[in-house]
Coordinates of all heavy atoms in Angstrom, one line a residue:
Chain A
M1 N 179.0 22.0 -208.5 CA 180.3 22.3 -208.0 C 181.2 21.1 -208.0 O 180.9 20.1 -207.5 CB 180.2 22.9 -206.6 CG 181.2 24.0 -206.3 SD 181.0 24.6 -204.6 CE 181.1 26.3 -204.9
T2 N 182.5 21.3 -208.6 CA 183.4 20.2 -208.6 C 183.9 19.9 -207.2 O 183.8 20.8 -206.3 CB 184.6 20.4 -209.5 OG1 185.4 21.5 -208.9 CG2 184.1 20.8 -210.9
E3 N 184.6 18.8 -207.0 CA 185.1 18.5 -205.6 C 186.1 19.5 -205.2 O 186.2 20.0 -204.1 CB 185.7 17.1 -205.7 CG 185.6 16.4 -204.3 CD 186.1 15.0 -204.4 OE1 185.4 14.2 -205.1 OE2 187.1 14.7 -203.8
A4 N 187.0 19.9 -206.2 CA 188.1 20.8 -205.9 C 187.5 22.2 -205.5 O 187.9 22.8 -204.5 CB 189.0 21.0 -207.1
N5 N 186.5 22.6 -206.2 CA 185.8 23.9 -205.9 C 185.2 23.9 -204.5 O 185.2 24.9 -203.8 CB 184.8 24.2 -207.0 CG 185.4 24.8 -208.2 OD1 186.6 25.1 -208.2 ND2 184.7 24.8 -209.3
Q6 N 184.6 22.7 -204.2 CA 184.0 22.5 -202.9 C 185.0 22.7 -201.8 O 184.7 23.3 -200.8 CB 183.3 21.2 -202.8 CG 182.5 21.0 -201.5 CD 181.4 22.0 -201.4 OE1 180.6 22.2 -202.3 NE2 181.3 22.7 -200.2
V7 N 186.2 22.1 -202.0 CA 187.2 22.2 -201.0 C 187.7 23.6 -200.8 O 187.8 24.1 -199.7 CB 188.4 21.3 -201.4 CG1 189.6 21.6 -200.5 CG2 188.1 19.8 -201.3
D8 N 187.8 24.3 -202.0 CA 188.2 25.7 -201.9 C 187.1 26.6 -201.2 O 187.5 27.4 -200.3 CB 188.3 26.3 -203.3 CG 189.5 25.8 -204.0 OD1 190.4 25.2 -203.3 OD2 189.7 26.0 -205.2
A9 N 185.9 26.3 -201.5 CA 184.8 27.0 -200.8 C 184.8 26.8 -199.3 O 184.6 27.7 -198.5 CB 183.4 26.7 -201.4
N10 N 185.0 25.5 -198.9 CA 185.1 25.2 -197.5 C 186.3 25.9 -196.8 O 186.1 26.4 -195.7 CB 185.2 23.7 -197.3 CG 184.0 23.0 -197.6 OD1 182.9 23.6 -197.7 ND2 184.1 21.7 -197.8
Chain B
K63 N 192.4 28.6 -212.9 CA 192.0 27.2 -213.1 C 191.3 27.1 -214.5 O 191.4 26.1 -215.1 CB 191.0 26.8 -212.0 CG 191.8 26.2 -210.9 CD 190.8 25.7 -209.8 CE 191.6 25.3 -208.5 NZ 190.8 25.3 -207.4
K64 N 190.5 28.1 -214.9 CA 189.8 28.0 -216.1 C 190.2 29.2 -217.0 O 189.4 30.2 -217.1 CB 188.3 28.0 -215.9 CG 187.8 26.9 -215.1 CD 186.3 27.0 -214.8 CE 186.0 26.7 -213.3 NZ 184.7 27.3 -212.9

Side-chain angles (χ1 to χ4, degrees):
Chain A
M1 215 181 223
T2 68
E3 207 172 299
N5 282 345
Q6 183 62 52
V7 169
D8 286 351
N10 287 346
Chain B
K63 270 180 190 162
K64 299 175 224 159

